[in-house]
Amino acid sequence: MNRCAMTTARLKHGLRSACHALKAHALHAALVLSLSSAMSATLLTALLATHLPAQAQAARNFPASALRGELQFQAQPEVLLNGQAARLAPGARVRGTDNLLQLAGNLTGTRAVVNYTIDPFGLVKDVWLLRPDEILVKPWPRTTAEAQSWVFNADAQTWSRP
């Protein structure tokens, strides 16, 4: 009995199996390539959208209770707000110029012009680090007394003095 000899039928079956395996592998490779291309395009789009120049970024809507000031981040939760000692509220949200949330601890030593809100306990609740084009929007109230006496246009994001 010759163990090395293969019948023609067994040989054809082996070739057919190998051909099917090769086609399945090629199909799998094509699927992975198309998915990775789609994911790469999505990732590229997301990266480009977050790194657009300030003029091309969407306008941010600030609440009527937002005041303008200069904030210097110290050891969290301590801050200097317009030169006066203040504290960030528990759960305070700090948004960068790209409108993404920032960790206040990573901003220690940073000084920025901001819009901010105060919670009922007098703690700084929401902070938006302003882009240069947002800083140019004037007038903007710096105290609650000004905010209560001025008129806020929420659509245009502007304030008018009486």
Side-chain angles (χ1 to χ4, degrees):
M1 180 169 172
N2 188 352
R3 291 184 184 187
C4 294
M6 220 183 221
T7 63
T8 307
R10 288 180 78 192
L11 184 59
K12 285 181 182 177
H13 175 54
L15 287 174
R16 212 177 7 234
S17 295
C19 185
H20 286 301
L22 185 58
K23 285 181 184 176
H25 180 70
L27 182 61
H28 176 72
L31 180 63
V32 168
L33 182 62
S34 68
L35 284 177
S36 66
S37 296
M39 286 192 291
S40 296
T42 303
L43 181 62
L44 181 62
T45 303
L47 287 173
L48 287 175
T50 59
H51 289 83
L52 290 174
Q55 294 78 14
Q57 291 180 353
R60 298 192 281 183
N61 290 323
F62 302 108
S65 59
L67 302 174
R68 173 87 36 99
E70 185 176 296
L71 193 72
Q72 182 176 355
F73 293 90
Q74 298 182 326
Q76 190 179 359
E78 305 298 324
V79 293
L80 285 179
L81 181 59
N82 298 323
Q84 302 294 317
R87 294 177 64 102
L88 293 174
R93 292 179 298 252
V94 179
R95 295 192 179 273
T97 56
D98 54 5
N99 212 32
L100 296 177
L101 290 175
Q102 306 288 315
L103 296 175
N106 291 344
L107 299 171
T108 301
T110 304
R111 183 183 300 238
V113 177
V114 299
N115 281 353
Y116 66 93
T117 61
I118 301 292
D119 74 2
F121 302 104
L123 303 174
V124 179
K125 179 68 176 169
D126 295 299
V127 176
W128 293 268
L129 303 178
L130 299 181
R131 299 187 306 250
D133 62 312
E134 293 171 332
I135 294 172
L136 294 176
V137 176
K138 293 182 180 176
W140 200 278
R142 297 182 72 80
T143 65
T144 53
E146 288 177 344
Q148 290 171 351
S149 64
W150 296 4
V151 178
F152 182 61
N153 181 339
D155 294 331
Q157 290 289 298
T158 57
W159 286 89
S160 306
R161 292 183 178 123

